[in-house]
Amino acid sequence: MEKIMNYIDGGLIEPSSKKYLDNYNPAEGKVYSLLPDSDIEDVNLATIAAQQAFASWSSLPSEKRSSYLQKIADLIVRDLDALALAESIDQGKPVKLAKNMDIPRAAANMSFYASAAIHFASEAHITDTQAINYTIRNPIGVAGCISPWNLPLYLFTWKIAPALAAGCTVVAKPSELTPMTAYLFSKLCIEAGLPKGVLNIIHGLGSKVGQAISEHTSITVISFTGGTVTGKKIAATAAPMFKKLSLELGGKNPNIIFADCDFEQAVSTSINSSFANQGEICLCGSRIFVERSLYEKFVDEFVKRTKALIVGDPSDEQTNLGALVSEAHLNKVLSYIELAKQEGGEILTGGHRVKLTGRCADGYFLEPTVIVGLGHQCRTNQEEIFGPVVTIMPFDSEDEVITYANSTAYGLSATIWTENLKRAHRVSAQIKSGIIWVNCWLFRDLRTSFGGMKQSGVGREGGWEAIRFFTEAKNVCIRL
Ligand code: NAD
C-alpha cells in the first residue's frame, strides 16, 4: 500500500515515530494508502529546516522566488489529470470538479503569487516639504499553514503561495483526511528545484501536528483554514505568544432570492451553491430565503432539479455529487437531518444515505436534501452542517430577510438575487459577511480580499492582503 511521506528539508522522509494512519477512499469506504502519524519531533525538524532556509530564501531576489512558484504552477498544469484524479479519490468529489475547479485553481494560486512576488510595492508618504516616510515590509519568518479537507490542494496552495512569495519559509499541514495531493505537490517542489527547507509538509493529526505548529515558539505567524472550534483552540494557544494569526473559519451562508430576480439564473446557480462539492464548501448557501410571492414556484423548481442530480461514482463524468469525505462526517450530516425533523422540518427530497453498487457499495454517499418548514432561529438554521443539505424559508420584506440573514454567529458569505440595482446595494451594505455575491456565486478575482466576519474568522486572505499578512511593516521617517 502506498505510503505518503513527510517533506522536510528538501527530502521525502518517514515520520520519527515510524507510525502511519489509514487514509480512506471515501467513495469505496476503504483504506487505500497510509499517511505519517507525525508528532512534535517532526514539527521540530521541519521548523529547524525552515529556520535554516529563511536567511537565503528571504534575501533571494523576488524574480527568483517568483520563478520557483511559476515553475511549480506549470508542473501542476502539466499534471492536471493525475492530480485531479488523486484529489477525487482522496476527497470523494467528482473528478470532473477537481479537473475544472480544484487543480486549475491550485495552479492559479501559485501563478498569481509568482506574479505578486515581483509586483508588490510598499508605501511611501511625503509629508509636504518636511519629511519622507516609507514602509519596509520584511517577511516575518517561519509561517505555519494549516488547511482543511474540503478543497485540499486549492486551499493548501492558497496559503503557502503568498507565504513563499513574501519571503517566509513554511511548515505546512494538510488535513489528515486528504493528504494525497499535498504529498504529490511536495514531489513537484523537488522537481522544480525549490531550495531545501523553504517548504516543509508534515502529515498527521490536528491534535498532534497542528497543535505542535500552534505551540512552536519559532513559528511566528499562522494561517489557518478550518472549523470555528479548531480556530478558537489555535487562537487560545497562539494569541498569548503574540503570533500573527489569520483564521478562515466556518459559515452558514444566506442565499437571498427576491421576486424580481432572473429566475432561471437564480435557480440554476442556487442548485450549484447548495450542492457543489457535496455541499462541502465553506461558501455554500445553506439557508435559502425566498420572497413569499416567488416561494412556491422556486421551491417546486428547486426540488425538481435537486431530484435530477446524480449521486454517483466520483470517477464518472455524469456524477454531480460524489461521496462525503468520511463516515464520521456522513454521520454528522445525517444527525443534522434527524435534528431538522425533530425541529419540525419537512424533507421535500433527500435525507437518506445512498447505497451504490459495485466498487462504491460501501462509499459515504448522501442524497441532496431540501428541508422546509423551519424558522430561522432553530439549530438546523444556526449551525454549520457542511453537507448537501439546505433549508428554504419564505420572507415578506427586505428588513425581515436582513434580520434572518444576520441571525447566525457566522458571517462568511452571502448571495443576493435581484434585478433591482438599488436594492442590491442597499441589502449588500447591511449583510454582515466578508463577501457578498449579487446574481452570481463563487466568482473570485484573486486580487480581492477574502475572509469572514464574526465567528467566520479574523483577517483577510487574497491579493496584497496575504502578502501584507506574511510581512512585518517597518516605517522609516527621514526629516527633510
Ligand atoms: P478542522 O478545523 O477540523 O481541521 C482543519 C485543519 O486543522 C486540519 O488540517 C486539522 O488537522 C487541523 N487541526 C485540527 N485540530 C487542530 C488543533 N488543535 N490545532 C491545530 N490544527 C488543528 O476543519 P475541517 O473539518 O478540516 O474543515 C471543515 C471546516 O473548514 C468547515 O467549518 C468549513 O467551513 C471550514 N472552511 C472554511 C473556509 C474559509 O475560507 N473560511 C474554507 C474551507 C473550509
Side-chain angles (χ1 to χ4, degrees), residues 207-230:
S207 54
K208 287 189 191 173
V209 178
Q211 188 66 25
I213 290 174
S214 308
E215 286 172 4
H216 206 295
T217 49
S218 301
I219 298 177
T220 46
V221 49
I222 294 181
S223 174
F224 168 78
T225 297
T228 295
V229 171
T230 315

Side-chain angles (χ1 to χ4, degrees), residues 145-151 155 158-159 173-178 204-214 224-231 233-234 237 247-251 280-283 325 329 332 384 386 410 412 450-452 456-457 461:
C145 295
I146 304 174
S147 50
W149 50 256
N150 64 324
L151 303 168
L155 288 174
W158 187 229
K159 300 196 163 299
K173 184 213 162 319
S175 169
E176 57 272 38
L177 296 178
T178 53
L205 300 172
S207 54
K208 287 189 191 173
V209 178
Q211 188 66 25
I213 290 174
S214 308
F224 168 78
T225 297
T228 295
V229 171
T230 315
K233 266 191 213 154
I234 292 175
T237 307
L247 303 171
E248 300 291 342
L249 310 177
E280 296 165 330
I281 300 182
C282 55
L283 305 167
V325 73
H329 190 58
K332 178 190 150 185
E384 187 183 42
F386 214 54
Y410 297 104
L412 191 56
F450 172 88
S456 288
E461 295 191 330

Side-chain angles (χ1 to χ4, degrees), residues 133-180:
N133 302 266
Y134 63 89
T135 305
I136 299 171
R137 286 201 163 264
N138 291 320
I140 296 184
V142 178
C145 295
I146 304 174
S147 50
W149 50 256
N150 64 324
L151 303 168
L153 193 62
Y154 172 141
L155 288 174
F156 182 79
T157 49
W158 187 229
K159 300 196 163 299
I160 62 162
L164 296 175
C168 288
T169 52
V170 174
V171 176
K173 184 213 162 319
S175 169
E176 57 272 38
L177 296 178
T178 53
M180 186 55 85

